[in-house]
Amino acid sequence: MDNKRILIVEDDILNAFALKMKIEEWGYDVINMVTGGSMAIEESKKNKPDLILVDIFLNDDITGVEAVKEIHKSALIPVIYITAFEDPQTFQMIDETEYRAFIAKPYHYNQVKDAIDLIFH
Amino acid sequence: MNEFSLINCGSAGVLFGSMSALCVAMSKKSVSVHSGIFLLICLVINFIVAVSNVLEHMNIYDLIDRYEEYFEILIIPFFLLFIYSLSSTNEIERRRKNEDRLSAALEERSILLKEIHHRVKNNMQTIASMLEIQASTIDDPQIAKPLRETVNRILAMGLVHKKLYQSEDFSSINLREYIESIISLLRDFYKDVIRDIDFSIDIGNHPVMDLDSAIPLGLIINELITNSIVHAFQNEKKGEIGISLKKIDDATIMFEVYDTGSGLPEQIDFDKNCGLGLQIVKILTLQLKGDISIVRSGGTLYRITLHYCGDEE
């Protein structure tokens, strides 16, 4: 079976690294870890991942939500938002996009695994 | 025309000019309507008196001469009213500015607090991530277990910040929601171990709790429920884990965590020798200035009495 390919968009590189380790442990491939919105758009267009895990505030001017909007213009890749922001404005923002799950930090890796498994199985 | 009427003529002209200037200022809203009207009335009265004087001293039949005295009397109360109106307008303006400044400061405080909670949550995630990476490199699950239990402790603390962040109150959290989320976290973590365990929560009137008490209490709940999940149902297939919180009086609440499992082994003496989890519970109970006791009958019941001074919703 071809492994599902996942893109991690997270500005905290340590969190991204831990996520990558766990995701690979669960039998999925992580195609890349990027820290900015523009890189997320570029990487998604180039490598077409099966799923994107995306934080909302990144290290460039493009937020995760804006990046997802841009990516979805060309391909409707499933998205899981992972962020520490849980206020109504954030929910209003993400509701403008299509996403499969929302995970609030600090999260347990089981939550992430369940959300990913739900998408692929 | 004598000197007196000339002076009056001059003042009438000046007053008329002032009235026109005032009207222009009022139409441009650079003078407030209330004090403008009072000032206008003062000027009109003076103008009428001046005109009346001019007419009188030019020996022209004076129609308004008869009323001149009234106007002269009116000028004083109207002038006082004008001063009052001016000062109250200034006061209103001053209060409005204060209010604006206060609401801006409040808004800033709320943004700052959100930012702090956001950073705290991000940092907790980083700490949990580091422990998780470390645990992943250990092949022996028994050695990795304490690291993962610590991750749960951090996440239980993180839940306080999540709940505070969601409550938009920033000073206290809803205990029911907090306890429910800790249980859901543990159920999720131990889903391979939990077979047929029911969880029950009985927390009366939705008490709210301040941050200083909520974090230790959350950690206590985390330890006790973890203990029950991991140790109490090793022989039994079915069981129940429950949390109840009762208000004894205004300053005391009784908090109980129980399970219907096999019971705490007799060799574990809560006062002398117990595992790290129960030691944490004892220390945190001390921190909360509470007392803890264990009842061993048909399972285990931990009873914690807290001297609590929170509010009820």
Side-chain angles (χ1 to χ4, degrees):
Chain A
M1 186 187 88
D2 274 351
N3 274 352
K4 295 291 182 187
R5 297 154 67 251
I6 297 173
L7 172 67
I8 299 174
V9 186
E10 158 75 270
D11 62 338
D12 187 321
I13 201 73
L14 199 61
N15 283 339
F17 179 65
L19 254 180
K20 178 180 187 288
M21 273 185 77
K22 295 304 287 186
I23 288 170
E24 287 172 348
E25 203 176 283
W26 302 328
Y28 302 107
D29 283 344
V30 175
I31 55 162
N32 206 349
M33 302 183 287
V34 295
T35 54
S38 53
M39 282 186 283
I41 296 168
E42 197 182 310
E43 188 66 28
S44 303
K45 285 187 176 160
K46 203 168 74 189
N47 286 320
K48 300 264 181 305
D50 298 306
L51 170 68
I52 307 171
L53 302 185
V54 58
D55 193 354
I56 290 178
F57 293 98
L58 303 165
N59 72 354
D60 60 2
D61 294 341
I62 300 173
T63 66
V65 178
E66 286 162 348
V68 167
K69 277 184 191 165
E70 185 58 36
I71 293 163
H72 279 177
K73 279 182 192 167
S74 52
L76 209 61
I77 301 168
V79 162
I80 296 176
Y81 284 111
I82 300 184
T83 181
F85 286 94
E86 291 172 84
D87 51 311
Q89 292 96 313
T90 303
F91 283 113
Q92 204 180 345
M93 230 162 60
I94 65 166
D95 281 345
E96 290 168 13
T97 63
E98 231 173 274
Y99 63 99
R100 302 291 286 270
F102 175 90
I103 297 170
K105 288 178 186 174
Y107 53 81
H108 204 288
Y109 286 95
N110 285 6
Q111 286 173 270
V112 184
K113 184 175 188 296
D114 289 346
I116 297 176
D117 288 347
L118 202 67
I119 292 171
F120 292 136
H121 298 293
Chain B
M1 194 184 276
N2 59 21
E3 280 174 9
F4 195 72
S5 61
L6 265 176
I7 293 169
N8 273 293
C9 237
S11 17
V14 169
L15 286 165
F16 188 76
S18 308
M19 275 151 57
S20 323
L22 186 63
C23 287
V24 171
M26 274 165 72
S27 70
K28 285 182 181 165
K29 294 204 167 109
S30 49
V31 171
S32 84
V33 181
H34 294 100
S35 50
I37 287 171
F38 280 114
L39 187 57
L40 199 62
I41 291 170
C42 289
L43 291 171
V44 167
I45 293 170
N46 275 312
F47 179 71
I48 291 169
V49 172
V51 170
S52 162
N53 280 334
V54 173
L55 296 176
E56 189 184 333
H57 288 278
M58 286 171 79
N59 295 322
I60 299 170
Y61 175 69
D62 192 352
L63 196 67
I64 47 180
D65 199 29
R66 277 187 281 168
Y67 304 105
E68 192 184 324
E69 210 176 317
Y70 296 121
F71 286 127
E72 276 172 349
I73 296 166
L74 268 177
I75 184 75
I76 294 167
F78 264 105
F79 187 67
L80 291 176
L81 273 172
F82 163 66
I83 291 173
Y84 173 74
S85 154
L86 191 68
S87 71
S88 59
T89 313
N90 285 348
E91 180 63 16
I92 288 165
E93 183 67 11
R94 200 178 59 81
R95 285 190 191 182
R96 201 182 55 78
K97 275 187 183 155
N98 262 348
E99 223 166 77
D100 286 353
R101 217 173 33 230
L102 266 176
S103 67
L106 255 170
E107 176 76 2
E108 197 182 341
R109 174 183 169 271
S110 153
I111 291 170
L112 209 66
L113 273 169
K114 271 190 176 175
E115 181 59 27
I116 288 170
H117 280 294
H118 170 236
R119 279 180 192 220
V120 167
K121 289 195 288 175
N122 253 336
N123 288 346
M124 282 181 158
Q125 184 64 57
T126 308
I127 297 167
S129 294
M130 285 194 285
L131 288 170
E132 189 60 50
I133 297 172
Q134 191 78 65
S136 294
T137 60
I138 300 167
D139 293 328
D140 186 343
Q142 278 308 309
I143 300 174
K145 196 177 127 224
L147 284 177
R148 297 223 156 93
E149 282 175 355
T150 301
V151 171
N152 280 357
R153 287 175 188 131
I154 292 162
L155 294 178
M157 288 174 76
L159 283 173
V160 167
H161 291 276
K162 270 193 194 180
K163 293 292 157 200
L164 278 177
Y165 190 82
Q166 286 164 353
S167 78
E168 305 225 335
D169 169 356
F170 296 125
S171 58
S172 59
I173 65 166
N174 183 306
L175 264 187
R176 172 185 290 277
E177 284 178 11
Y178 179 42
I179 293 173
E180 276 171 355
S181 56
I182 293 178
I183 289 180
S184 133
L185 175 84
L186 292 171
R187 284 179 92 145
D188 200 31
F189 182 70
Y190 289 106
K191 64 180 175 199
D192 301 333
V193 183
I194 295 171
R195 285 170 227 100
D196 227 345
I197 303 175
D198 290 326
F199 287 86
S200 72
I201 305 175
D202 174 18
I203 309 178
N205 301 326
H206 305 274
V208 292
M209 191 171 252
D210 61 283
L211 184 59
D212 285 343
S213 313
I215 288 182
L217 192 72
L219 287 171
I220 290 173
I221 293 169
N222 179 62
E223 297 305 327
L224 294 180
I225 292 185
T226 301
N227 252 356
S228 293
I229 291 174
V230 177
H231 302 296
F233 300 101
Q234 281 173 338
N235 306 321
E236 269 105 313
K237 292 253 184 296
K238 281 182 114 171
E240 187 188 333
I241 295 176
I243 291 181
S244 83
L245 199 143
K246 287 188 199 90
K247 194 170 175 179
I248 306 294
D249 57 50
D250 282 346
T252 320
I253 53 174
M254 193 175 72
F255 175 67
E256 290 178 346
V257 176
Y258 61 89
D259 65 63
T260 57
S262 51
L264 204 64
E266 285 303 323
Q267 67 266 27
I268 291 180
D269 183 344
F270 191 60
D271 295 320
K272 292 190 187 110
N273 67 319
C274 55
L276 177 66
L278 284 182
Q279 284 185 46
I280 289 175
V281 171
K282 275 200 305 195
I283 293 164
L284 293 174
T285 309
L286 269 180
Q287 188 182 324
L288 288 171
K289 298 185 179 66
D291 309 301
I292 183 163
S293 59
I294 299 183
V295 182
R296 302 173 200 233
S297 62
T300 312
L301 185 147
Y302 302 90
R303 180 174 295 142
I304 298 172
T305 315
L306 297 176
H307 306 288
Y308 160 69
C309 44
D311 305 319
E312 299 245 333
E313 253 179 20

